[in-house]
Amino acid sequence: MRKLLLGASLLTLLALALMVWSVFQPTPMPVMLAMSLGQALGTGAFAMFGLAILIDLRRSRRVRRSTGLPLLREVLAPPDRSDPDTSGTYPVPETPAGPKPGAPT
Amino acid sequence: MPHDPFAWLALGGAALATPILLWYLIRRPQLGRSTKVILLFGIGVFPIITATGGNIAGYEATKTRKFCGSCHVMTPYAQDSEDLESTSLAARHARNEAFGDENCYACHADYGMFGTVTTKIGGMRHVYEYAFNFRQLSVEEALPRIHLIKPFQNASCTRCHSTLGPSWNAVGDHASSAEDVRAGTVSCASIGCHGAAHPFSKPYHASPEASLLGAPARHGGAP
């Protein structure tokens, strides 16, 4: 993953160099290189960055699973309203049908 | 230094992204959440700003006469347009503020909804032709070989000269040929009444009179 990010950083620098070159020297060769190769390098670098983040997320998920820690999704999920331990964060509305199953009596 | 604000936008994006990328490449910090967010700006947000600004600035640059004249075989066309004493169609139009530095593009761009796209595709053909056929030629060798791929469209003229104004119709030749001009069966320039836009490159069409005297049907002008 670190290699991916290093590669992405290098490619981005190359793409930026091409684009800046075309700004300072707007002649056919620099402009065409910036609008073709520069775009391709930049897009590729951003894709590599996205891939690195995805790999990192999957790895952290695997680690959390194996160590018994709650998954990120569970940590970030809103509290269950029917759960008395967490429902305090929300005002639970009164329901005419009576208390929900599992609610404290 | 660039004058286009989009060029400055591109430079600004690059100036912000470069220190972030160099910091990551040199320091190689631990990949925590903050590092990822900083890299998102260094690899994503700022370079996208640079690409957007650079593309628009680059596109605008491709419309200038300086850009067209940067290929050596186009030098006489650009010089003629800049010549204040030249009476060619191209030079007279270049002196018009509405054309100015973009007079090549103003006349040679295709008209219509997708005109910009087809013009740019045509421009890529110019690049191909220059790279493989004209690059090694001298200007003298190239001039007789440079030609339009299709006849110059009257629509390029009539987008400004609408053919409907009273002063235009007051000219007898205009009034008598108005329908043909609008239909494109009579050309305004080249072999038409007004002659070649770049007469130095087309000796047959050095004057409008020559074209009316049955000169060979060759279409003048830059590609």
Side-chain angles (χ1 to χ4, degrees), chain A residues 11-99:
Chain A
L11 286 182
T12 308
L13 273 179
L14 266 176
L16 287 173
L18 287 173
M19 290 176 201
V20 169
W21 181 31
S22 79
V23 167
F24 280 110
Q25 195 182 342
T27 50
M29 187 57 75
V31 169
M32 280 193 304
L33 279 176
M35 293 174 103
S36 54
L37 186 62
Q39 297 293 312
L41 290 177
T43 308
F46 194 45
M48 286 167 72
F49 173 74
L51 183 65
I53 296 298
L54 195 69
I55 291 171
D56 188 45
L57 280 175
R58 288 176 69 106
R59 183 186 293 173
S60 68
R61 192 175 175 183
R62 208 164 44 237
V63 169
R64 279 175 174 277
R65 269 202 183 136
S66 63
T67 55
L69 286 167
L71 296 178
L72 201 61
R73 188 177 54 203
E74 293 162 0
V75 173
L76 297 176
D80 184 1
R81 290 183 180 207
S82 62
D83 185 352
D85 290 338
T86 57
S87 63
T89 53
Y90 290 99
V92 181
E94 292 289 333
T95 51

Side-chain angles (χ1 to χ4, degrees), chain B residues 26-86:
Chain B
I26 295 168
R27 299 287 298 273
R28 306 203 177 181
Q30 195 71 28
L31 195 64
R33 186 174 293 176
S34 57
T35 307
K36 285 182 207 166
V37 172
I38 291 170
L39 277 180
L40 174 67
F41 278 86
I43 297 176
V45 177
F46 294 141
I48 286 173
I49 291 172
T50 301
T52 306
N55 277 346
I56 297 172
Y59 170 72
E60 290 298 325
T62 62
K63 292 160 71 175
T64 62
R65 182 167 65 236
K66 188 180 172 189
F67 184 88
C68 301
S70 58
C71 292
H72 77 283
V73 294
M74 285 291 123
T75 305
Y77 296 85
Q79 283 178 343
D80 178 59
S81 288
E82 290 164 1
D83 185 357
L84 295 176
E85 294 183 354
S86 174

